[in-house]
Amino acid sequence: MTLTADRPVRTVRPDKPRGGGRQGREALLLMLPALVPVLVFSVGPLLYGIFLAFTDARSGRNSVTSFVGLSNFGDLLSDGDFWASFRIGMIWAVSVTVLQFLASLGLALLLNQDMRFRGFARVLAMVPWAMPPVVIGLMWRLVYHPDAGILNGMLGTEIDWLNDFSIALPAVIVVGIWTGMPQTTVVLLAGLQGVPKELYEAVEVDGAGTWRKFWSITLPQLRPVIVAITSLDFVWNINQFGLVYVLTQGGPGGQTRLPMLFAYEEAFRYGFFGYAATLGVAIVIVVLAVLGVYLWRQMREAS
Protein backbone atom coordinates (compact mmCIF):
# COMPACT_ATOMS: atom_id res chain seq x y z
CA MET A 1 0.00 0.00 0.00
CA THR A 2 1.29 3.43 -0.90
CA LEU A 3 0.70 6.21 1.60
CA THR A 4 0.16 9.65 0.17
CA ALA A 5 0.17 12.82 2.29
CA ASP A 6 -2.79 15.10 2.02
CA ARG A 7 -1.92 18.07 -0.10
CA PRO A 8 -3.44 21.46 0.77
CA VAL A 9 -6.11 22.60 -1.59
CA ARG A 10 -5.07 25.69 -3.51
CA THR A 11 -7.56 28.48 -3.62
CA VAL A 12 -7.68 30.15 -6.96
CA ARG A 13 -7.90 33.87 -6.59
CA PRO A 14 -9.71 35.81 -9.27
CA ASP A 15 -7.47 37.80 -11.50
CA LYS A 16 -7.30 41.45 -10.65
CA PRO A 17 -8.91 43.62 -13.27
CA ARG A 18 -6.30 45.03 -15.53
CA GLY A 19 -6.10 48.65 -16.36
CA GLY A 20 -7.36 49.91 -12.96
CA GLY A 21 -4.94 52.80 -12.89
CA ARG A 22 -5.80 53.67 -16.44
CA GLN A 23 -9.52 53.68 -15.69
CA GLY A 24 -8.91 55.94 -12.69
CA ARG A 25 -6.99 58.39 -14.83
CA GLU A 26 -9.70 58.34 -17.47
CA ALA A 27 -12.37 58.98 -14.82
CA LEU A 28 -10.35 61.91 -13.51
CA LEU A 29 -10.03 63.35 -17.01
CA LEU A 30 -13.77 63.04 -17.51
CA MET A 31 -14.39 64.86 -14.21
CA LEU A 32 -12.00 67.72 -14.96
CA PRO A 33 -14.53 69.85 -16.92
CA ALA A 34 -16.77 69.84 -13.85
CA LEU A 35 -13.97 70.16 -11.27
CA VAL A 36 -12.22 73.13 -12.86
CA PRO A 37 -15.19 75.55 -12.48
CA VAL A 38 -15.67 74.38 -8.89
CA LEU A 39 -12.02 75.01 -8.08
CA VAL A 40 -11.96 78.36 -9.86
CA PHE A 41 -15.27 79.81 -8.68
CA SER A 42 -15.72 78.12 -5.27
CA VAL A 43 -12.51 76.85 -3.72
CA GLY A 44 -10.37 79.67 -5.07
CA PRO A 45 -12.49 82.55 -3.70
CA LEU A 46 -12.89 80.67 -0.41
CA LEU A 47 -9.14 80.37 0.09
CA TYR A 48 -8.61 83.97 -1.00
CA GLY A 49 -11.27 85.12 1.47
CA ILE A 50 -9.55 83.26 4.29
CA PHE A 51 -6.27 84.91 3.29
CA LEU A 52 -7.87 88.37 3.28
CA ALA A 53 -9.19 87.79 6.82
CA PHE A 54 -5.62 87.97 8.10
CA THR A 55 -4.75 91.17 6.22
CA ASP A 56 -5.72 94.84 6.34
CA ALA A 57 -6.85 94.86 2.70
CA ARG A 58 -8.73 98.02 1.72
CA SER A 59 -10.20 99.50 -1.41
CA GLY A 60 -8.14 101.86 -3.55
CA ARG A 61 -5.49 101.55 -6.21
CA ASN A 62 -2.59 102.71 -4.07
CA SER A 63 -3.53 100.84 -0.90
CA VAL A 64 -0.87 98.53 0.49
CA THR A 65 -2.03 95.22 1.96
CA SER A 66 -0.09 93.82 4.90
CA PHE A 67 -0.46 90.76 7.11
CA VAL A 68 -2.04 91.59 10.49
CA GLY A 69 -2.52 88.12 11.96
CA LEU A 70 -5.49 87.81 14.33
CA SER A 71 -5.91 91.57 14.71
CA ASN A 72 -9.12 91.63 12.65
CA PHE A 73 -10.64 88.88 14.78
CA GLY A 74 -9.85 90.85 17.92
CA ASP A 75 -11.50 93.95 16.47
CA LEU A 76 -14.50 91.86 15.47
CA LEU A 77 -15.00 90.49 18.99
CA SER A 78 -15.03 94.03 20.40
CA ASP A 79 -17.30 95.46 17.68
CA GLY A 80 -20.77 96.21 19.06
CA ASP A 81 -22.24 96.55 15.56
CA PHE A 82 -21.08 93.04 14.70
CA TRP A 83 -22.68 91.52 17.79
CA ALA A 84 -25.93 93.36 17.09
CA SER A 85 -25.88 92.03 13.52
CA PHE A 86 -25.01 88.55 14.73
CA ARG A 87 -27.92 88.57 17.21
CA ILE A 88 -30.34 89.67 14.49
CA GLY A 89 -28.93 87.05 12.14
CA MET A 90 -29.42 84.25 14.65
CA ILE A 91 -32.99 85.39 15.40
CA TRP A 92 -33.68 85.48 11.67
CA ALA A 93 -32.05 82.12 10.87
CA VAL A 94 -33.59 80.17 13.76
CA SER A 95 -37.05 81.72 13.35
CA VAL A 96 -37.20 81.21 9.61
CA THR A 97 -35.79 77.68 9.80
CA VAL A 98 -38.18 76.47 12.52
CA LEU A 99 -41.34 78.17 11.26
CA GLN A 100 -40.52 77.29 7.67
CA PHE A 101 -40.15 73.63 8.63
CA LEU A 102 -43.47 73.56 10.50
CA ALA A 103 -45.33 75.25 7.64
CA SER A 104 -43.66 73.04 5.04
CA LEU A 105 -44.43 69.88 7.01
CA GLY A 106 -48.11 70.81 7.16
CA LEU A 107 -48.15 71.59 3.44
CA ALA A 108 -46.32 68.35 2.60
CA LEU A 109 -48.81 66.31 4.65
CA LEU A 110 -51.66 68.03 2.80
CA LEU A 111 -50.14 67.48 -0.65
CA ASN A 112 -49.51 63.83 0.21
CA GLN A 113 -53.24 63.16 0.60
CA ASP A 114 -55.49 61.85 -2.15
CA MET A 115 -57.45 64.89 -3.29
CA ARG A 116 -58.65 66.54 -6.45
CA PHE A 117 -56.22 68.74 -8.37
CA ARG A 118 -53.33 67.44 -6.25
CA GLY A 119 -50.90 67.79 -9.14
CA PHE A 120 -51.91 71.38 -9.76
CA ALA A 121 -51.62 72.18 -6.06
CA ARG A 122 -48.10 70.76 -5.99
CA VAL A 123 -47.08 72.88 -8.94
CA LEU A 124 -48.63 75.98 -7.37
CA ALA A 125 -46.71 75.36 -4.14
CA MET A 126 -43.44 75.50 -6.09
CA VAL A 127 -44.03 78.98 -7.53
CA PRO A 128 -41.87 80.89 -4.97
CA TRP A 129 -38.98 78.54 -5.73
CA ALA A 130 -38.97 79.65 -9.38
CA MET A 131 -38.82 83.36 -8.53
CA PRO A 132 -35.49 85.18 -8.05
CA PRO A 133 -34.96 86.77 -4.60
CA VAL A 134 -34.94 90.26 -6.14
CA VAL A 135 -38.37 89.72 -7.70
CA ILE A 136 -39.71 88.31 -4.43
CA GLY A 137 -38.36 91.29 -2.53
CA LEU A 138 -39.94 93.79 -4.91
CA MET A 139 -43.26 91.94 -4.81
CA TRP A 140 -43.38 91.91 -1.01
CA ARG A 141 -42.39 95.58 -0.87
CA LEU A 142 -45.61 96.23 -2.78
CA VAL A 143 -47.54 93.98 -0.40
CA TYR A 144 -46.13 95.87 2.60
CA HIS A 145 -46.50 99.34 1.06
CA PRO A 146 -48.01 101.68 3.68
CA ASP A 147 -50.33 103.47 1.23
CA ALA A 148 -51.06 101.13 -1.67
CA GLY A 149 -50.16 97.79 -0.11
CA ILE A 150 -52.50 94.81 -0.29
CA LEU A 151 -51.94 93.94 3.38
CA ASN A 152 -52.98 97.34 4.71
CA GLY A 153 -55.93 97.34 2.32
CA MET A 154 -57.13 94.00 3.72
CA LEU A 155 -56.60 94.99 7.35
CA GLY A 156 -57.80 98.57 6.99
CA THR A 157 -54.61 99.93 8.56
CA GLU A 158 -51.80 102.31 7.58
CA ILE A 159 -48.83 100.49 9.06
CA ASP A 160 -45.39 101.02 7.54
CA TRP A 161 -44.37 97.40 7.93
CA LEU A 162 -40.78 97.66 6.70
CA ASN A 163 -39.90 100.93 8.44
CA ASP A 164 -41.39 100.29 11.87
CA PHE A 165 -38.67 99.41 14.40
CA SER A 166 -40.88 96.93 16.25
CA ILE A 167 -42.29 94.93 13.33
CA ALA A 168 -39.72 95.25 10.52
CA LEU A 169 -37.84 92.07 11.49
CA PRO A 170 -41.01 89.93 11.93
CA ALA A 171 -42.28 91.23 8.58
CA VAL A 172 -39.03 90.20 6.88
CA ILE A 173 -39.12 86.80 8.63
CA VAL A 174 -42.56 86.16 7.11
CA VAL A 175 -41.11 86.77 3.65
CA GLY A 176 -38.21 84.44 4.41
CA ILE A 177 -40.60 81.67 5.44
CA TRP A 178 -42.71 82.11 2.30
CA THR A 179 -39.61 82.09 0.09
CA GLY A 180 -38.01 78.97 1.54
CA MET A 181 -41.10 76.80 1.90
CA PRO A 182 -41.07 75.19 -1.59
CA GLN A 183 -37.73 73.37 -1.38
CA THR A 184 -38.43 72.22 2.19
CA THR A 185 -41.89 71.02 1.14
CA VAL A 186 -40.47 69.07 -1.80
CA VAL A 187 -37.92 67.27 0.38
CA LEU A 188 -40.46 66.43 3.09
CA LEU A 189 -43.00 65.30 0.50
CA ALA A 190 -40.42 62.95 -1.00
CA GLY A 191 -39.74 61.59 2.47
CA LEU A 192 -43.44 61.04 3.12
CA GLN A 193 -43.82 59.12 -0.12
CA GLY A 194 -40.97 56.85 0.94
CA VAL A 195 -42.69 55.72 4.15
CA PRO A 196 -43.94 52.11 3.66
CA LYS A 197 -47.72 51.88 3.71
CA GLU A 198 -47.46 48.54 5.51
CA LEU A 199 -46.45 50.37 8.68
CA TYR A 200 -49.67 52.40 8.66
CA GLU A 201 -51.73 49.31 7.95
CA ALA A 202 -50.12 47.50 10.88
CA VAL A 203 -50.98 50.18 13.43
CA GLU A 204 -54.46 50.63 11.99
CA VAL A 205 -55.16 47.05 12.99
CA ASP A 206 -54.46 48.11 16.59
CA GLY A 207 -56.92 50.97 16.21
CA ALA A 208 -54.37 53.77 15.94
CA GLY A 209 -55.73 57.19 15.04
CA THR A 210 -54.26 59.96 12.90
CA TRP A 211 -52.15 61.54 15.66
CA ARG A 212 -50.75 58.21 16.84
CA LYS A 213 -49.75 57.28 13.28
CA PHE A 214 -48.08 60.66 12.87
CA TRP A 215 -46.07 60.48 16.12
CA SER A 216 -45.28 56.76 15.95
CA ILE A 217 -44.56 56.28 12.25
CA THR A 218 -44.44 59.44 10.16
CA LEU A 219 -42.17 61.55 12.36
CA PRO A 220 -39.62 58.78 13.17
CA GLN A 221 -39.45 57.77 9.50
CA LEU A 222 -38.86 61.39 8.47
CA ARG A 223 -36.14 61.99 11.06
CA PRO A 224 -33.13 61.70 8.69
CA VAL A 225 -34.87 63.91 6.13
CA ILE A 226 -35.77 66.49 8.79
CA VAL A 227 -32.18 66.65 10.09
CA ALA A 228 -30.81 67.11 6.58
CA ILE A 229 -33.23 69.78 5.36
CA THR A 230 -33.25 71.83 8.57
CA SER A 231 -29.43 71.86 8.56
CA LEU A 232 -29.37 73.10 4.97
CA ASP A 233 -32.10 75.65 5.65
CA PHE A 234 -30.15 77.06 8.60
CA VAL A 235 -27.02 77.47 6.46
CA TRP A 236 -29.00 79.14 3.65
CA ASN A 237 -30.82 81.45 6.03
CA ILE A 238 -27.78 82.61 7.99
CA ASN A 239 -26.13 83.49 4.65
CA GLN A 240 -29.18 85.33 3.30
CA PHE A 241 -28.43 88.63 1.62
CA GLY A 242 -30.35 89.52 -1.55
CA LEU A 243 -33.89 89.17 -0.24
CA VAL A 244 -33.38 91.30 2.87
CA TYR A 245 -31.28 93.84 0.99
CA VAL A 246 -34.08 94.45 -1.51
CA LEU A 247 -36.70 94.62 1.25
CA THR A 248 -35.03 96.91 3.81
CA GLN A 249 -31.28 97.25 3.04
CA GLY A 250 -30.78 96.43 6.72
CA GLY A 251 -33.06 99.15 8.07
CA PRO A 252 -34.73 100.70 9.84
CA GLY A 253 -31.83 101.63 12.08
CA GLY A 254 -30.10 98.30 11.53
CA GLN A 255 -33.05 96.28 12.83
CA THR A 256 -32.83 93.86 9.87
CA ARG A 257 -29.10 94.08 9.21
CA LEU A 258 -28.07 90.46 8.89
CA PRO A 259 -24.38 89.45 9.12
CA MET A 260 -24.02 89.27 5.34
CA LEU A 261 -25.42 92.79 5.01
CA PHE A 262 -22.96 93.96 7.66
CA ALA A 263 -20.10 92.35 5.71
CA TYR A 264 -21.34 93.95 2.49
CA GLU A 265 -21.36 97.42 4.06
CA GLU A 266 -17.88 96.98 5.53
CA ALA A 267 -16.49 95.83 2.18
CA PHE A 268 -18.27 97.91 -0.45
CA ARG A 269 -19.42 100.98 1.46
CA TYR A 270 -16.41 101.55 3.70
CA GLY A 271 -13.78 99.60 1.75
CA PHE A 272 -12.54 97.35 4.57
CA PHE A 273 -12.18 94.12 2.60
CA GLY A 274 -9.98 92.40 5.17
CA TYR A 275 -12.40 93.11 8.01
CA ALA A 276 -15.37 91.96 5.92
CA ALA A 277 -13.57 88.73 5.08
CA THR A 278 -12.94 88.19 8.77
CA LEU A 279 -16.66 88.44 9.42
CA GLY A 280 -17.32 85.84 6.74
CA VAL A 281 -14.80 83.43 8.25
CA ALA A 282 -16.30 83.98 11.72
CA ILE A 283 -19.80 83.19 10.43
CA VAL A 284 -18.52 79.99 8.81
CA ILE A 285 -16.96 78.92 12.12
CA VAL A 286 -20.17 79.66 14.04
CA VAL A 287 -22.34 77.82 11.51
CA LEU A 288 -20.08 74.76 11.58
CA ALA A 289 -20.11 74.77 15.39
CA VAL A 290 -23.90 75.08 15.62
CA LEU A 291 -24.47 72.39 12.99
CA GLY A 292 -21.91 70.13 14.65
CA VAL A 293 -23.70 70.28 18.00
CA TYR A 294 -27.11 69.87 16.34
CA LEU A 295 -26.07 66.87 14.24
CA TRP A 296 -24.25 65.27 17.19
CA ARG A 297 -27.35 65.49 19.36
CA GLN A 298 -29.57 64.12 16.60
CA MET A 299 -27.22 61.18 15.98
CA ARG A 300 -26.95 60.51 19.71
CA GLU A 301 -30.72 60.45 20.11
CA ALA A 302 -31.12 58.24 17.05
CA SER A 303 -28.60 55.72 18.39
Side-chain angles (χ1 to χ4, degrees), residues 5 24 37 61 63 71 90 153 160 169 188 194 233 242:
R61 293 184 178 180
S63 61
S71 177
M90 290 302 294
D160 196 351
L169 183 58
L188 293 175
D233 283 342

Side-chain angles (χ1 to χ4, degrees), residues 79-142:
D79 190 343
D81 291 336
F82 162 72
W83 288 110
S85 176
F86 179 75
R87 178 183 62 84
I88 294 171
M90 290 302 294
I91 293 174
W92 153 271
V94 173
S95 301
V96 173
T97 301
V98 173
L99 297 177
Q100 179 178 290
F101 163 72
L102 295 176
S104 299
L105 179 60
L107 183 59
L109 290 171
L110 178 63
L111 295 177
N112 196 43
Q113 302 298 318
D114 292 329
M115 61 180 185
R116 297 182 60 185
F117 306 111
R118 183 174 64 175
F120 176 74
R122 290 179 177 179
V123 173
L124 193 62
M126 300 300 107
V127 170
W129 201 359
M131 300 174 64
V134 174
V135 175
I136 294 175
L138 293 174
M139 182 186 71
W140 277 92
R141 281 182 65 89
L142 295 176

Side-chain angles (χ1 to χ4, degrees), residues 9-17:
V9 180
R10 295 181 59 187
T11 57
V12 180
R13 297 181 179 179
D15 295 335
K16 294 183 179 180

Side-chain angles (χ1 to χ4, degrees), residues 216-283:
S216 301
I217 297 178
T218 305
L219 210 55
Q221 291 291 317
L222 284 180
R223 188 185 189 91
V225 178
I226 293 173
V227 172
I229 192 59
T230 51
S231 301
L232 290 174
D233 283 342
F234 179 79
V235 173
W236 291 332
N237 290 325
I238 197 67
N239 289 307
Q240 181 61 253
F241 171 78
L243 179 66
V244 181
Y245 182 80
V246 173
L247 284 170
T248 63
Q249 296 187 2
Q255 293 299 310
T256 60
R257 185 168 59 179
L258 304 182
M260 293 301 103
L261 270 74
F262 181 75
Y264 168 81
E265 291 180 353
E266 291 294 325
F268 298 103
R269 179 174 296 180
Y270 306 117
F272 300 130
F273 293 114
Y275 190 65
T278 304
L279 190 146
V281 172
I283 292 299

